[in-house]
Amino acid sequence: MLPPFNPDHEGDAAPAELEHFAELVTRADGLIIAAPEYAHGIPGVLKNALDWLVSRPEIPGKPVLLVHASTRGLFVREHLSEVLRTMSVRLFDTAPFELHLIGTSPEAANAILDRADVVERIRLSIEGFAAFAVDCADLDT
Ligand SMILES: Cc1cc2nc3c(=O)[nH]c(=O)nc-3n(C[C@H](O)[C@H](O)[C@H](O)COP(=O)(O)O)c2cc1C
C-alpha cells in the first residue's frame, strides 16, 4: 500500500511501493479508472496514488478511461477529469462509461452485467478506448 504522499520522499527517498506502482503504470498501454464518489470528491486513496505520480514521467500522455458504477457520480468525474488533465494524461472522454449498479446486490449487479445490451456497451467502450490508445501510441512514434 502506498504511504501518504510527501514531496520530501520523492526521488531517491521514494518508497519501494511507489516503484512497483510506477512500473505497473509504465507497462500499461492505458489506464481504466473506476472510482466511487465520496462526499462529492475523489476517494482519498486514489488521490494519494495520483499525487505520487504527479511529478514523475510515467503519467504524461497516458491514455485514460473513466468508468463509473453509478450514474450519480458527476462531481467525482469532474474532479478527476480536472486532476488528470492537470497531470497531462490523454483522457478518453468522448463517451464516459456509466452503469447504475449502486445499491444493487452482487447477484443483481452480475445479472445487469450479463445483459446483452450491457455487454455490448462495455465492448464498444473498451474497443473505442483501445483504438484511442493505439492512436495515442502512434502520435508518440
Ligand atoms: C462516506 C461515503 C460518501 C459517499 N458520498 C457520495 C457522494 O457524494 N455522491 C455519490 O454519488 N455517492 C456517494 N457515496 C456512494 C459511493 O460513491 C458508492 O457508490 C457506494 O459506496 C457504493 O456502494 P455499494 O457498493 O453498496 O453499491 C458515498 C459513500 C460513502 C461510503
Side-chain angles (χ1 to χ4, degrees):
M1 194 164 131
L2 288 169
F5 174 62
N6 182 341
D8 294 339
H9 295 167
E10 291 184 296
D12 290 344
E17 297 92 333
L18 177 62
E19 295 307 326
H20 177 62
F21 177 51
E23 171 66 18
L24 293 176
V25 173
T26 297
R27 281 169 28 201
D29 295 323
L31 304 178
I32 298 176
I33 299 179
E37 176 173 298
Y38 288 154
H40 288 187
I42 302 169
V45 287
L46 173 59
K47 183 63 167 61
N48 184 57
L50 294 174
D51 286 344
W52 273 114
L53 293 177
V54 166
S55 307
R56 294 182 57 101
E58 293 83 9
I59 198 81
K62 188 68 72 176
V64 175
L65 170 67
L66 299 182
V67 176
H68 304 279
S70 163
T71 49
R72 285 193 339 209
L74 300 176
F75 293 101
V76 73
R77 189 166 73 211
E78 287 305 308
H79 290 179
L80 258 180
S81 299
E82 176 64 19
V83 167
L84 290 166
R85 285 204 184 88
T86 302
M87 295 170 71
S88 303
V89 310
R90 291 173 171 136
L91 198 55
F92 183 58
D93 58 0
T94 48
F97 187 78
E98 296 172 344
L99 267 182
H100 199 72
L101 300 178
I102 187 171
T104 56
S105 65
E107 294 75 21
N110 282 335
I112 292 171
L113 291 169
D114 281 344
R115 271 178 18 206
D117 61 316
V118 173
V119 170
E120 180 65 4
R121 276 183 59 206
I122 294 172
R123 189 182 67 74
L124 287 173
S125 180
I126 299 296
E127 279 183 6
F129 181 55
F132 175 73
V134 169
D135 288 346
C136 291
D138 287 346
L139 286 175
D140 291 335
T141 54

